[in-house]
Amino acid sequence: MTVKINDGCIGCGACASICEEVFTVDDVATVNEAAVEANMDCVKEAAESCPVGVIEIE
Ligand code: SF4
């Protein structure tokens, strides 16, 4: 499972507050790939909650 942040992130911080092990937000969100597998539930929740829909799960 791979998680990508597509272009268009507005840096709102929602993903990091939902799934802090995986997402870090400075100007834009970045993904800690090493933590993805253990946190798939909140990764999916973050993807559904992203206001601009740029979190892509492959
Ligand atoms: S929830 Fe979406 S827009 Fe907000 S910081 Fe995360 S990736 Fe960016």
Side-chain angles (χ1 to χ4, degrees), residues 5-14 29 46-56:
I5 308 295
N6 289 324
D7 290 346
C9 170
I10 58 173
C12 71
E48 286 163 9
S49 302
C50 175
V52 288
V54 295
I55 300 173
E56 188 176 325

Side-chain angles (χ1 to χ4, degrees), residues 31-49:
V31 173
N32 175 12
E33 288 285 350
V36 167
E37 293 294 345
N39 292 281
M40 275 316 297
D41 286 351
C42 73
V43 167
K44 286 177 187 161
E45 190 182 339
E48 286 163 9
S49 302

